[in-house]
Amino acid sequence: MDIEEYKAYTAKGGYLEAGTEAAKMMRPAAVEAQRITAAINGAFHTPEELRALFSELTGQRVDETFALFPPVYTDFGKNIRVGKSVFINSGCCFQDQGGIEIGDDCLIGHQVVFATLNHDLSPTKRANMFPAPIRLGRNVWVGSHATILAGVTVGDNAVIAAGAVVAKDVPANTVVGGVPAKIIKEIRE
């Protein structure tokens, strides 16, 4: 199984059983992600160098408007897609095996966690996983220390308050906060 086949499998919600070809795909991808994130995090880089390294990490060219403040962490890397004018602040963690899409003009605060995997609840199957993508629409602002869980879609112009744990979809033009995150207010121009 190659990366593209893996991404197609997880995009369909494919169950990842420990020891299968799909699950084994994660280990070499993790090693490569560790190598690239060590390069990103281990020294000063110009914005151009960071874009090149992040492009290598994701396997896709990022736009010249993309900006990243290291450090950044991921245990896969190849299932992250970012739009134009995206800013990712320092300390963010991308568990992207299930897929992460970040739309144009998004702002990601310090130490945000994107978690696209859930382990099986059955103790005898605990090493097995359920991947599900996280999707951020356009112009989303994610506050510091927020956690977005597997399967969540965040609508355009939404704001996720600092420290929120988002387990359900977020409608466009709303502010959510808390644990678990709930709608605090609607955004009106």
Side-chain angles (χ1 to χ4, degrees), residues 2-4 7 24-41 52-60 72-80 96-97:
D2 66 19
I3 291 284
E4 294 308 315
K7 291 193 304 191
K24 288 178 182 175
M25 181 73 203
M26 295 180 349
R27 179 64 64 192
V31 170
E32 181 177 3
Q34 290 168 358
R35 178 185 62 76
I36 299 167
T37 56
I40 291 171
N41 300 337
L53 285 164
F54 200 81
S55 294
E56 181 183 358
L57 177 67
T58 63
Q60 300 177 39
V72 65
Y73 305 97
T74 181
D75 53 4
F76 195 73
K78 296 296 186 232
N79 213 356
I80 302 170
D96 63 293
Q97 289 89 338

PDB file of all heavy atoms in Angstrom, residues 2-4 7 24-41 52-60 72-80 96-97:
ATOM      1  N   ASP A   2       0.601   2.193  -0.885  1.00  0.00           N
ATOM      2  CA  ASP A   2       1.363   3.429  -0.891  1.00  0.00           C
ATOM      3  C   ASP A   2       0.564   4.520  -0.164  1.00  0.00           C
ATOM      4  O   ASP A   2      -0.571   4.297   0.267  1.00  0.00           O
ATOM      5  CB  ASP A   2       1.761   3.846  -2.313  1.00  0.00           C
ATOM      6  CG  ASP A   2       0.579   4.221  -3.207  1.00  0.00           C
ATOM      7  OD1 ASP A   2      -0.527   4.509  -2.698  1.00  0.00           O
ATOM      8  OD2 ASP A   2       0.764   4.230  -4.439  1.00  0.00           O
ATOM      9  N   ILE A   3       1.154   5.702  -0.061  1.00  0.00           N
ATOM     10  CA  ILE A   3       0.534   6.805   0.690  1.00  0.00           C
ATOM     11  C   ILE A   3      -0.827   7.179   0.111  1.00  0.00           C
ATOM     12  O   ILE A   3      -1.787   7.398   0.856  1.00  0.00           O
ATOM     13  CB  ILE A   3       1.471   8.043   0.718  1.00  0.00           C
ATOM     14  CG1 ILE A   3       2.695   7.774   1.579  1.00  0.00           C
ATOM     15  CG2 ILE A   3       0.746   9.298   1.177  1.00  0.00           C
ATOM     16  CD1 ILE A   3       2.453   7.816   3.064  1.00  0.00           C
ATOM     17  N   GLU A   4      -0.922   7.268  -1.212  1.00  0.00           N
ATOM     18  CA  GLU A   4      -2.194   7.666  -1.832  1.00  0.00           C
ATOM     19  C   GLU A   4      -3.280   6.626  -1.575  1.00  0.00           C
ATOM     20  O   GLU A   4      -4.439   6.989  -1.315  1.00  0.00           O
ATOM     21  CB  GLU A   4      -2.013   7.936  -3.325  1.00  0.00           C
ATOM     22  CG  GLU A   4      -1.133   9.141  -3.630  1.00  0.00           C
ATOM     23  CD  GLU A   4      -1.559  10.414  -2.897  1.00  0.00           C
ATOM     24  OE1 GLU A   4      -2.775  10.727  -2.873  1.00  0.00           O
ATOM     25  OE2 GLU A   4      -0.678  11.105  -2.336  1.00  0.00           O
ATOM     26  N   LYS A   7      -4.341   7.090   2.045  1.00  0.00           N
ATOM     27  CA  LYS A   7      -5.196   8.264   2.231  1.00  0.00           C
ATOM     28  C   LYS A   7      -6.604   8.005   1.710  1.00  0.00           C
ATOM     29  O   LYS A   7      -7.582   8.402   2.335  1.00  0.00           O
ATOM     30  CB  LYS A   7      -4.573   9.501   1.577  1.00  0.00           C
ATOM     31  CG  LYS A   7      -3.323   9.969   2.301  1.00  0.00           C
ATOM     32  CD  LYS A   7      -2.835  11.342   1.905  1.00  0.00           C
ATOM     33  CE  LYS A   7      -2.545  11.570   0.475  1.00  0.00           C
ATOM     34  NZ  LYS A   7      -1.837  12.839   0.217  1.00  0.00           N
ATOM     35  N   LYS A  24       0.451  -0.812   9.189  1.00  0.00           N
ATOM     36  CA  LYS A  24       1.918  -0.826   9.059  1.00  0.00           C
ATOM     37  C   LYS A  24       2.421   0.358   8.245  1.00  0.00           C
ATOM     38  O   LYS A  24       3.574   0.758   8.380  1.00  0.00           O
ATOM     39  CB  LYS A  24       2.374  -2.137   8.421  1.00  0.00           C
ATOM     40  CG  LYS A  24       2.244  -3.335   9.336  1.00  0.00           C
ATOM     41  CD  LYS A  24       2.674  -4.609   8.638  1.00  0.00           C
ATOM     42  CE  LYS A  24       2.494  -5.814   9.537  1.00  0.00           C
ATOM     43  NZ  LYS A  24       2.788  -7.071   8.837  1.00  0.00           N
ATOM     44  N   MET A  25       1.564   0.924   7.406  1.00  0.00           N
ATOM     45  CA  MET A  25       1.930   2.086   6.588  1.00  0.00           C
ATOM     46  C   MET A  25       2.285   3.287   7.468  1.00  0.00           C
ATOM     47  O   MET A  25       3.075   4.144   7.083  1.00  0.00           O
ATOM     48  CB  MET A  25       0.727   2.424   5.686  1.00  0.00           C
ATOM     49  CG  MET A  25       0.929   3.554   4.766  1.00  0.00           C
ATOM     50  SD  MET A  25       2.011   3.012   3.469  1.00  0.00           S
ATOM     51  CE  MET A  25       2.645   4.537   2.946  1.00  0.00           C
ATOM     52  N   MET A  26       1.713   3.339   8.649  1.00  0.00           N
ATOM     53  CA  MET A  26       1.917   4.496   9.517  1.00  0.00           C
ATOM     54  C   MET A  26       3.341   4.594  10.052  1.00  0.00           C
ATOM     55  O   MET A  26       3.843   5.693  10.264  1.00  0.00           O
ATOM     56  CB  MET A  26       0.901   4.467  10.669  1.00  0.00           C
ATOM     57  CG  MET A  26      -0.503   4.634  10.157  1.00  0.00           C
ATOM     58  SD  MET A  26      -1.878   4.622  11.335  1.00  0.00           S
ATOM     59  CE  MET A  26      -1.262   4.110  12.851  1.00  0.00           C
ATOM     60  N   ARG A  27       4.009   3.476  10.294  1.00  0.00           N
ATOM     61  CA  ARG A  27       5.344   3.503  10.903  1.00  0.00           C
ATOM     62  C   ARG A  27       6.382   4.201  10.021  1.00  0.00           C
ATOM     63  O   ARG A  27       7.046   5.126  10.484  1.00  0.00           O
ATOM     64  CB  ARG A  27       5.780   2.084  11.274  1.00  0.00           C
ATOM     65  CG  ARG A  27       7.155   1.998  11.902  1.00  0.00           C
ATOM     66  CD  ARG A  27       7.264   2.708  13.217  1.00  0.00           C
ATOM     67  NE  ARG A  27       6.404   2.078  14.191  1.00  0.00           N
ATOM     68  CZ  ARG A  27       6.108   2.593  15.374  1.00  0.00           C
ATOM     69  NH1 ARG A  27       6.615   3.732  15.744  1.00  0.00           N
ATOM     70  NH2 ARG A  27       5.302   1.982  16.202  1.00  0.00           N
ATOM     71  N   PRO A  28       6.571   3.806   8.745  1.00  0.00           N
ATOM     72  CA  PRO A  28       7.578   4.522   7.931  1.00  0.00           C
ATOM     73  C   PRO A  28       7.215   5.985   7.695  1.00  0.00           C
ATOM     74  O   PRO A  28       8.095   6.840   7.629  1.00  0.00           O
ATOM     75  CB  PRO A  28       7.631   3.741   6.613  1.00  0.00           C
ATOM     76  CG  PRO A  28       6.461   2.841   6.607  1.00  0.00           C
ATOM     77  CD  PRO A  28       6.003   2.662   8.020  1.00  0.00           C
ATOM     78  N   ALA A  29       5.911   6.276   7.600  1.00  0.00           N
ATOM     79  CA  ALA A  29       5.497   7.674   7.452  1.00  0.00           C
ATOM     80  C   ALA A  29       5.857   8.463   8.704  1.00  0.00           C
ATOM     81  O   ALA A  29       6.280   9.621   8.614  1.00  0.00           O
ATOM     82  CB  ALA A  29       4.004   7.759   7.164  1.00  0.00           C
ATOM     83  N   ALA A  30       5.706   7.855   9.871  1.00  0.00           N
ATOM     84  CA  ALA A  30       6.050   8.522  11.132  1.00  0.00           C
ATOM     85  C   ALA A  30       7.543   8.812  11.207  1.00  0.00           C
ATOM     86  O   ALA A  30       7.949   9.880  11.657  1.00  0.00           O
ATOM     87  CB  ALA A  30       5.611   7.668  12.325  1.00  0.00           C
ATOM     88  N   VAL A  31       8.353   7.870  10.762  1.00  0.00           N
ATOM     89  CA  VAL A  31       9.807   8.068  10.784  1.00  0.00           C
ATOM     90  C   VAL A  31      10.192   9.234   9.876  1.00  0.00           C
ATOM     91  O   VAL A  31      10.993  10.092  10.255  1.00  0.00           O
ATOM     92  CB  VAL A  31      10.546   6.767  10.389  1.00  0.00           C
ATOM     93  CG1 VAL A  31      12.031   7.011  10.172  1.00  0.00           C
ATOM     94  CG2 VAL A  31      10.326   5.690  11.451  1.00  0.00           C
ATOM     95  N   GLU A  32       9.588   9.285   8.690  1.00  0.00           N
ATOM     96  CA  GLU A  32       9.886  10.403   7.786  1.00  0.00           C
ATOM     97  C   GLU A  32       9.408  11.722   8.386  1.00  0.00           C
ATOM     98  O   GLU A  32      10.103  12.733   8.321  1.00  0.00           O
ATOM     99  CB  GLU A  32       9.243  10.189   6.420  1.00  0.00           C
ATOM    100  CG  GLU A  32       9.565  11.337   5.471  1.00  0.00           C
ATOM    101  CD  GLU A  32       9.018  11.154   4.072  1.00  0.00           C
ATOM    102  OE1 GLU A  32       8.327  10.166   3.797  1.00  0.00           O
ATOM    103  OE2 GLU A  32       9.291  12.043   3.247  1.00  0.00           O
ATOM    104  N   ALA A  33       8.214  11.719   8.992  1.00  0.00           N
ATOM    105  CA  ALA A  33       7.692  12.939   9.626  1.00  0.00           C
ATOM    106  C   ALA A  33       8.608  13.394  10.759  1.00  0.00           C
ATOM    107  O   ALA A  33       8.855  14.588  10.916  1.00  0.00           O
ATOM    108  CB  ALA A  33       6.276  12.695  10.140  1.00  0.00           C
ATOM    109  N   GLN A  34       9.142  12.466  11.532  1.00  0.00           N
ATOM    110  CA  GLN A  34      10.072  12.815  12.616  1.00  0.00           C
ATOM    111  C   GLN A  34      11.336  13.451  12.051  1.00  0.00           C
ATOM    112  O   GLN A  34      11.843  14.429  12.608  1.00  0.00           O
ATOM    113  CB  GLN A  34      10.424  11.576  13.434  1.00  0.00           C
ATOM    114  CG  GLN A  34       9.283  11.068  14.274  1.00  0.00           C
ATOM    115  CD  GLN A  34       9.563   9.683  14.846  1.00  0.00           C
ATOM    116  OE1 GLN A  34      10.608   9.077  14.594  1.00  0.00           O
ATOM    117  NE2 GLN A  34       8.616   9.172  15.615  1.00  0.00           N
ATOM    118  N   ARG A  35      11.831  12.907  10.947  1.00  0.00           N
ATOM    119  CA  ARG A  35      13.036  13.454  10.324  1.00  0.00           C
ATOM    120  C   ARG A  35      12.802  14.895   9.874  1.00  0.00           C
ATOM    121  O   ARG A  35      13.599  15.798  10.156  1.00  0.00           O
ATOM    122  CB  ARG A  35      13.458  12.587   9.127  1.00  0.00           C
ATOM    123  CG  ARG A  35      14.689  13.113   8.382  1.00  0.00           C
ATOM    124  CD  ARG A  35      15.007  12.303   7.129  1.00  0.00           C
ATOM    125  NE  ARG A  35      13.958  12.325   6.131  1.00  0.00           N
ATOM    126  CZ  ARG A  35      13.700  13.357   5.310  1.00  0.00           C
ATOM    127  NH1 ARG A  35      14.424  14.460   5.382  1.00  0.00           N
ATOM    128  NH2 ARG A  35      12.734  13.284   4.420  1.00  0.00           N
ATOM    129  N   ILE A  36      11.669  15.129   9.207  1.00  0.00           N
ATOM    130  CA  ILE A  36      11.400  16.460   8.664  1.00  0.00           C
ATOM    131  C   ILE A  36      11.066  17.449   9.778  1.00  0.00           C
ATOM    132  O   ILE A  36      11.548  18.591   9.765  1.00  0.00           O
ATOM    133  CB  ILE A  36      10.287  16.406   7.601  1.00  0.00           C
ATOM    134  CG1 ILE A  36      10.727  15.508   6.431  1.00  0.00           C
ATOM    135  CG2 ILE A  36       9.943  17.810   7.105  1.00  0.00           C
ATOM    136  CD1 ILE A  36       9.603  15.127   5.481  1.00  0.00           C
ATOM    137  N   THR A  37      10.271  17.034  10.765  1.00  0.00           N
ATOM    138  CA  THR A  37       9.951  17.967  11.855  1.00  0.00           C
ATOM    139  C   THR A  37      11.193  18.273  12.691  1.00  0.00           C
ATOM    140  O   THR A  37      11.328  19.386  13.202  1.00  0.00           O
ATOM    141  CB  THR A  37       8.803  17.464  12.753  1.00  0.00           C
ATOM    142  OG1 THR A  37       9.113  16.172  13.266  1.00  0.00           O
ATOM    143  CG2 THR A  37       7.487  17.423  11.982  1.00  0.00           C
ATOM    144  N   ALA A  38      12.109  17.315  12.811  1.00  0.00           N
ATOM    145  CA  ALA A  38      13.372  17.600  13.509  1.00  0.00           C
ATOM    146  C   ALA A  38      14.154  18.674  12.758  1.00  0.00           C
ATOM    147  O   ALA A  38      14.758  19.565  13.372  1.00  0.00           O
ATOM    148  CB  ALA A  38      14.205  16.333  13.663  1.00  0.00           C
ATOM    149  N   ALA A  39      14.126  18.611  11.429  1.00  0.00           N
ATOM    150  CA  ALA A  39      14.801  19.644  10.626  1.00  0.00           C
ATOM    151  C   ALA A  39      14.105  21.000  10.805  1.00  0.00           C
ATOM    152  O   ALA A  39      14.771  22.031  10.959  1.00  0.00           O
ATOM    153  CB  ALA A  39      14.815  19.247   9.157  1.00  0.00           C
ATOM    154  N   ILE A  40      12.772  20.997  10.801  1.00  0.00           N
ATOM    155  CA  ILE A  40      12.022  22.247  10.986  1.00  0.00           C
ATOM    156  C   ILE A  40      12.306  22.841  12.364  1.00  0.00           C
ATOM    157  O   ILE A  40      12.567  24.037  12.502  1.00  0.00           O
ATOM    158  CB  ILE A  40      10.504  22.013  10.819  1.00  0.00           C
ATOM    159  CG1 ILE A  40      10.153  21.687   9.367  1.00  0.00           C
ATOM    160  CG2 ILE A  40       9.703  23.224  11.312  1.00  0.00           C
ATOM    161  CD1 ILE A  40       8.722  21.221   9.152  1.00  0.00           C
ATOM    162  N   ASN A  41      12.256  21.997  13.385  1.00  0.00           N
ATOM    163  CA  ASN A  41      12.312  22.465  14.772  1.00  0.00           C
ATOM    164  C   ASN A  41      13.727  22.672  15.303  1.00  0.00           C
ATOM    165  O   ASN A  41      13.905  23.339  16.317  1.00  0.00           O
ATOM    166  CB  ASN A  41      11.579  21.475  15.683  1.00  0.00           C
ATOM    167  CG  ASN A  41      10.124  21.316  15.306  1.00  0.00           C
ATOM    168  OD1 ASN A  41       9.523  22.186  14.684  1.00  0.00           O
ATOM    169  ND2 ASN A  41       9.540  20.189  15.683  1.00  0.00           N
ATOM    170  N   ALA A  52       9.284  25.301   2.201  1.00  0.00           N
ATOM    171  CA  ALA A  52       9.838  24.143   1.490  1.00  0.00           C
ATOM    172  C   ALA A  52       9.819  22.895   2.378  1.00  0.00           C
ATOM    173  O   ALA A  52       9.449  21.801   1.922  1.00  0.00           O
ATOM    174  CB  ALA A  52      11.260  24.445   1.023  1.00  0.00           C
ATOM    175  N   LEU A  53      10.195  23.041   3.636  1.00  0.00           N
ATOM    176  CA  LEU A  53      10.188  21.890   4.554  1.00  0.00           C
ATOM    177  C   LEU A  53       8.767  21.411   4.833  1.00  0.00           C
ATOM    178  O   LEU A  53       8.507  20.196   4.874  1.00  0.00           O
ATOM    179  CB  LEU A  53      10.902  22.249   5.865  1.00  0.00           C
ATOM    180  CG  LEU A  53      12.424  22.315   5.780  1.00  0.00           C
ATOM    181  CD1 LEU A  53      12.996  23.052   6.980  1.00  0.00           C
ATOM    182  CD2 LEU A  53      13.006  20.908   5.668  1.00  0.00           C
ATOM    183  N   PHE A  54       7.818  22.339   5.002  1.00  0.00           N
ATOM    184  CA  PHE A  54       6.435  21.930   5.244  1.00  0.00           C
ATOM    185  C   PHE A  54       5.863  21.256   4.000  1.00  0.00           C
ATOM    186  O   PHE A  54       5.093  20.294   4.104  1.00  0.00           O
ATOM    187  CB  PHE A  54       5.571  23.123   5.676  1.00  0.00           C
ATOM    188  CG  PHE A  54       4.315  22.714   6.377  1.00  0.00           C
ATOM    189  CD1 PHE A  54       4.330  22.380   7.723  1.00  0.00           C
ATOM    190  CD2 PHE A  54       3.106  22.647   5.699  1.00  0.00           C
ATOM    191  CE1 PHE A  54       3.170  21.992   8.381  1.00  0.00           C
ATOM    192  CE2 PHE A  54       1.939  22.262   6.343  1.00  0.00           C
ATOM    193  CZ  PHE A  54       1.973  21.931   7.691  1.00  0.00           C
ATOM    194  N   SER A  55       6.247  21.728   2.817  1.00  0.00           N
ATOM    195  CA  SER A  55       5.830  21.074   1.573  1.00  0.00           C
ATOM    196  C   SER A  55       6.376  19.653   1.511  1.00  0.00           C
ATOM    197  O   SER A  55       5.663  18.724   1.107  1.00  0.00           O
ATOM    198  CB  SER A  55       6.312  21.874   0.357  1.00  0.00           C
ATOM    199  OG  SER A  55       5.676  23.136   0.297  1.00  0.00           O
ATOM    200  N   GLU A  56       7.614  19.469   1.914  1.00  0.00           N
ATOM    201  CA  GLU A  56       8.199  18.125   1.950  1.00  0.00           C
ATOM    202  C   GLU A  56       7.460  17.255   2.966  1.00  0.00           C
ATOM    203  O   GLU A  56       7.160  16.085   2.695  1.00  0.00           O
ATOM    204  CB  GLU A  56       9.684  18.207   2.319  1.00  0.00           C
ATOM    205  CG  GLU A  56      10.371  16.861   2.355  1.00  0.00           C
ATOM    206  CD  GLU A  56      11.824  16.931   2.790  1.00  0.00           C
ATOM    207  OE1 GLU A  56      12.351  18.037   3.046  1.00  0.00           O
ATOM    208  OE2 GLU A  56      12.436  15.848   2.892  1.00  0.00           O
ATOM    209  N   LEU A  57       7.132  17.817   4.106  1.00  0.00           N
ATOM    210  CA  LEU A  57       6.418  17.081   5.152  1.00  0.00           C
ATOM    211  C   LEU A  57       5.061  16.593   4.656  1.00  0.00           C
ATOM    212  O   LEU A  57       4.693  15.439   4.873  1.00  0.00           O
ATOM    213  CB  LEU A  57       6.236  17.980   6.377  1.00  0.00           C
ATOM    214  CG  LEU A  57       5.453  17.410   7.550  1.00  0.00           C
ATOM    215  CD1 LEU A  57       6.215  16.254   8.187  1.00  0.00           C
ATOM    216  CD2 LEU A  57       5.162  18.498   8.578  1.00  0.00           C
ATOM    217  N   THR A  58       4.310  17.455   3.986  1.00  0.00           N
ATOM    218  CA  THR A  58       2.960  17.112   3.550  1.00  0.00           C
ATOM    219  C   THR A  58       2.924  16.422   2.193  1.00  0.00           C
ATOM    220  O   THR A  58       1.901  15.842   1.832  1.00  0.00           O
ATOM    221  CB  THR A  58       2.075  18.369   3.481  1.00  0.00           C
ATOM    222  OG1 THR A  58       2.601  19.260   2.494  1.00  0.00           O
ATOM    223  CG2 THR A  58       1.978  19.048   4.836  1.00  0.00           C
ATOM    224  N   GLY A  59       4.007  16.516   1.448  1.00  0.00           N
ATOM    225  CA  GLY A  59       4.024  15.942   0.105  1.00  0.00           C
ATOM    226  C   GLY A  59       3.275  16.799  -0.900  1.00  0.00           C
ATOM    227  O   GLY A  59       2.993  16.349  -2.007  1.00  0.00           O
ATOM    228  N   GLN A  60       2.944  18.030  -0.512  1.00  0.00           N
ATOM    229  CA  GLN A  60       2.225  18.951  -1.387  1.00  0.00           C
ATOM    230  C   GLN A  60       2.807  20.345  -1.239  1.00  0.00           C
ATOM    231  O   GLN A  60       3.082  20.781  -0.117  1.00  0.00           O
ATOM    232  CB  GLN A  60       0.747  19.001  -1.008  1.00  0.00           C
ATOM    233  CG  GLN A  60       0.059  17.669  -1.119  1.00  0.00           C
ATOM    234  CD  GLN A  60      -1.377  17.757  -0.671  1.00  0.00           C
ATOM    235  OE1 GLN A  60      -2.057  18.735  -0.935  1.00  0.00           O
ATOM    236  NE2 GLN A  60      -1.844  16.736   0.017  1.00  0.00           N
ATOM    237  N   VAL A  72       6.677  22.487  15.297  1.00  0.00           N
ATOM    238  CA  VAL A  72       5.470  21.823  14.834  1.00  0.00           C
ATOM    239  C   VAL A  72       5.697  20.327  14.975  1.00  0.00           C
ATOM    240  O   VAL A  72       6.833  19.858  14.869  1.00  0.00           O
ATOM    241  CB  VAL A  72       5.136  22.217  13.372  1.00  0.00           C
ATOM    242  CG1 VAL A  72       6.195  21.724  12.399  1.00  0.00           C
ATOM    243  CG2 VAL A  72       3.759  21.727  12.976  1.00  0.00           C
ATOM    244  N   TYR A  73       4.612  19.588  15.237  1.00  0.00           N
ATOM    245  CA  TYR A  73       4.732  18.148  15.452  1.00  0.00           C
ATOM    246  C   TYR A  73       3.678  17.408  14.643  1.00  0.00           C
ATOM    247  O   TYR A  73       2.537  17.863  14.540  1.00  0.00           O
ATOM    248  CB  TYR A  73       4.548  17.808  16.942  1.00  0.00           C
ATOM    249  CG  TYR A  73       5.498  18.582  17.819  1.00  0.00           C
ATOM    250  CD1 TYR A  73       5.084  19.747  18.453  1.00  0.00           C
ATOM    251  CD2 TYR A  73       6.817  18.165  17.984  1.00  0.00           C
ATOM    252  CE1 TYR A  73       5.961  20.477  19.246  1.00  0.00           C
ATOM    253  CE2 TYR A  73       7.699  18.895  18.765  1.00  0.00           C
ATOM    254  CZ  TYR A  73       7.264  20.046  19.393  1.00  0.00           C
ATOM    255  OH  TYR A  73       8.134  20.776  20.165  1.00  0.00           O
ATOM    256  N   THR A  74       4.065  16.278  14.098  1.00  0.00           N
ATOM    257  CA  THR A  74       3.122  15.383  13.443  1.00  0.00           C
ATOM    258  C   THR A  74       3.683  13.974  13.496  1.00  0.00           C
ATOM    259  O   THR A  74       4.905  13.782  13.515  1.00  0.00           O
ATOM    260  CB  THR A  74       2.818  15.791  11.991  1.00  0.00           C
ATOM    261  OG1 THR A  74       1.866  14.872  11.450  1.00  0.00           O
ATOM    262  CG2 THR A  74       4.051  15.793  11.119  1.00  0.00           C
ATOM    263  N   ASP A  75       2.781  13.002  13.499  1.00  0.00           N
ATOM    264  CA  ASP A  75       3.220  11.611  13.491  1.00  0.00           C
ATOM    265  C   ASP A  75       2.895  10.936  12.165  1.00  0.00           C
ATOM    266  O   ASP A  75       2.938   9.735  12.040  1.00  0.00           O
ATOM    267  CB  ASP A  75       2.633  10.831  14.670  1.00  0.00           C
ATOM    268  CG  ASP A  75       1.131  10.935  14.781  1.00  0.00           C
ATOM    269  OD1 ASP A  75       0.503  11.551  13.896  1.00  0.00           O
ATOM    270  OD2 ASP A  75       0.571  10.411  15.747  1.00  0.00           O
ATOM    271  N   PHE A  76       2.566  11.737  11.146  1.00  0.00           N
ATOM    272  CA  PHE A  76       2.317  11.197   9.805  1.00  0.00           C
ATOM    273  C   PHE A  76       2.758  12.202   8.752  1.00  0.00           C
ATOM    274  O   PHE A  76       3.666  11.938   8.002  1.00  0.00           O
ATOM    275  CB  PHE A  76       0.837  10.820   9.659  1.00  0.00           C
ATOM    276  CG  PHE A  76       0.552   9.953   8.474  1.00  0.00           C
ATOM    277  CD1 PHE A  76       0.927   8.619   8.466  1.00  0.00           C
ATOM    278  CD2 PHE A  76      -0.099  10.467   7.368  1.00  0.00           C
ATOM    279  CE1 PHE A  76       0.670   7.808   7.367  1.00  0.00           C
ATOM    280  CE2 PHE A  76      -0.369   9.667   6.267  1.00  0.00           C
ATOM    281  CZ  PHE A  76       0.012   8.333   6.267  1.00  0.00           C
ATOM    282  N   GLY A  77       2.076  13.343   8.668  1.00  0.00           N
ATOM    283  CA  GLY A  77       2.515  14.433   7.797  1.00  0.00           C
ATOM    284  C   GLY A  77       1.937  14.447   6.406  1.00  0.00           C
ATOM    285  O   GLY A  77       1.657  15.508   5.861  1.00  0.00           O
ATOM    286  N   LYS A  78       1.750  13.297   5.811  1.00  0.00           N
ATOM    287  CA  LYS A  78       1.345  13.236   4.401  1.00  0.00           C
ATOM    288  C   LYS A  78      -0.154  13.397   4.178  1.00  0.00           C
ATOM    289  O   LYS A  78      -0.627  13.331   3.050  1.00  0.00           O
ATOM    290  CB  LYS A  78       1.797  11.913   3.779  1.00  0.00           C
ATOM    291  CG  LYS A  78       3.300  11.744   3.735  1.00  0.00           C
ATOM    292  CD  LYS A  78       3.972  12.773   2.859  1.00  0.00           C
ATOM    293  CE  LYS A  78       5.444  12.503   2.712  1.00  0.00           C
ATOM    294  NZ  LYS A  78       6.270  13.648   3.009  1.00  0.00           N
ATOM    295  N   ASN A  79      -0.925  13.620   5.244  1.00  0.00           N
ATOM    296  CA  ASN A  79      -2.361  13.767   5.077  1.00  0.00           C
ATOM    297  C   ASN A  79      -2.837  15.116   5.628  1.00  0.00           C
ATOM    298  O   ASN A  79      -3.909  15.225   6.207  1.00  0.00           O
ATOM    299  CB  ASN A  79      -3.107  12.602   5.749  1.00  0.00           C
ATOM    300  CG  ASN A  79      -4.374  12.229   5.007  1.00  0.00           C
ATOM    301  OD1 ASN A  79      -4.751  12.879   4.040  1.00  0.00           O
ATOM    302  ND2 ASN A  79      -5.037  11.190   5.469  1.00  0.00           N
ATOM    303  N   ILE A  80      -1.998  16.148   5.428  1.00  0.00           N
ATOM    304  CA  ILE A  80      -2.319  17.522   5.800  1.00  0.00           C
ATOM    305  C   ILE A  80      -2.395  18.341   4.516  1.00  0.00           C
ATOM    306  O   ILE A  80      -1.484  18.280   3.685  1.00  0.00           O
ATOM    307  CB  ILE A  80      -1.231  18.141   6.714  1.00  0.00           C
ATOM    308  CG1 ILE A  80      -1.041  17.324   7.982  1.00  0.00           C
ATOM    309  CG2 ILE A  80      -1.571  19.603   7.036  1.00  0.00           C
ATOM    310  CD1 ILE A  80       0.181  17.740   8.794  1.00  0.00           C
ATOM    311  N   ASP A  96      -2.481  13.393  11.793  1.00  0.00           N
ATOM    312  CA  ASP A  96      -3.197  13.565  10.528  1.00  0.00           C
ATOM    313  C   ASP A  96      -3.473  12.288   9.754  1.00  0.00           C
ATOM    314  O   ASP A  96      -3.874  12.357   8.595  1.00  0.00           O
ATOM    315  CB  ASP A  96      -2.428  14.540   9.638  1.00  0.00           C
ATOM    316  CG  ASP A  96      -1.054  14.027   9.244  1.00  0.00           C
ATOM    317  OD1 ASP A  96      -0.190  13.913  10.136  1.00  0.00           O
ATOM    318  OD2 ASP A  96      -0.837  13.745   8.057  1.00  0.00           O
ATOM    319  N   GLN A  97      -3.326  11.125  10.350  1.00  0.00           N
ATOM    320  CA  GLN A  97      -3.561   9.892   9.607  1.00  0.00           C
ATOM    321  C   GLN A  97      -4.943   9.876   8.961  1.00  0.00           C
ATOM    322  O   GLN A  97      -5.121   9.360   7.870  1.00  0.00           O
ATOM    323  CB  GLN A  97      -3.390   8.659  10.503  1.00  0.00           C
ATOM    324  CG  GLN A  97      -1.971   8.397  10.896  1.00  0.00           C
ATOM    325  CD  GLN A  97      -1.575   9.106  12.179  1.00  0.00           C
ATOM    326  OE1 GLN A  97      -2.171  10.086  12.601  1.00  0.00           O
ATOM    327  NE2 GLN A  97      -0.535   8.615  12.818  1.00  0.00           N
TER     328      GLN A  97
END
